[in-house]
Amino acid sequence: DTEVTQTPKHLVMGMTNKKSLKCEQHMGHRAMYWYKQKAKKPPELMFVYSYEKLSINESVPSRFSPECPNSSLLNLHLHALQPEDSALYLCASSSFDRGSGNTIYFGEGSWLTVV
Amino acid sequence: GESVGLHLPTLSVQEGDNSIINCAYSNSASDYFIWYKQESGKGPQFIIDIRSNMDKRQGQRVTVLLNKTVKHLSLQIAATQPGDSAVYFCAESIQGGSEKLVFGKGTKLTVNP
């Protein structure tokens, strides 16, 4: 079972709403990720936080705003989304140990539907 | 550039047979590879990994083979079971480099009883 916990599992929001996705891990990992996955496609990287600092932003639109309150928590704030943003949003974490390989562990995802 | 692809998008096997899922990668600098299993409605689940200083690594019923000469990766599943039905992704990264993990397109494995 995954040790990366995501809430909510399902979210339906209107295009004018503001909502947040939450992620938590207690593995002591120092890197946390947000991925987006459309149906029948591989996960696509959105953001990476390393040691609580944003290290990678894959040119994600500003309507997605990540936040890392501490080393165990990662949020994704959503505002003014479009229907095409509907997807499975996956949170992941890794020890980011450059000496032993960067195995990334995923949560079960939050299914987002924008109406 | 960095990209990982797969030779076959779908694979159908009989229960009890061995399965082989293939993956091609293009970034010769990639030195760490992971196979993930994703069941319907769930997140990707780590199966097995391999570093570029190895050609083969075995786990429980799974074996990963790495051929750096032709930039090819494969996942072998022994005695495939219905519970193995899922989409399988290979992914690559560079140790000591970016935290980025690049995924291949995925292969859907269907195990027939």
Side-chain angles (χ1 to χ4, degrees), chain B residues 19-50:
Chain B
S19 302
I20 299 177
I21 300 171
N22 296 304
C23 176
Y25 65 95
S26 61
N27 187 354
S28 57
S30 293
D31 56 6
Y32 181 59
F33 305 88
I34 306 175
W35 280 100
Y36 287 94
K37 171 187 180 183
Q38 188 172 26
E39 296 175 271
S40 181
K42 296 188 176 182
Q45 176 187 0
F46 172 87
I47 300 174
I48 192 168
D49 59 358
I50 188 168

Side-chain angles (χ1 to χ4, degrees), chain A residues 95-109:
Chain A
S95 61
F96 194 43
D97 181 348
R98 290 181 169 174
S100 63
N102 193 27
T103 303
I104 297 179
Y105 297 92
F106 287 84
E108 297 289 28

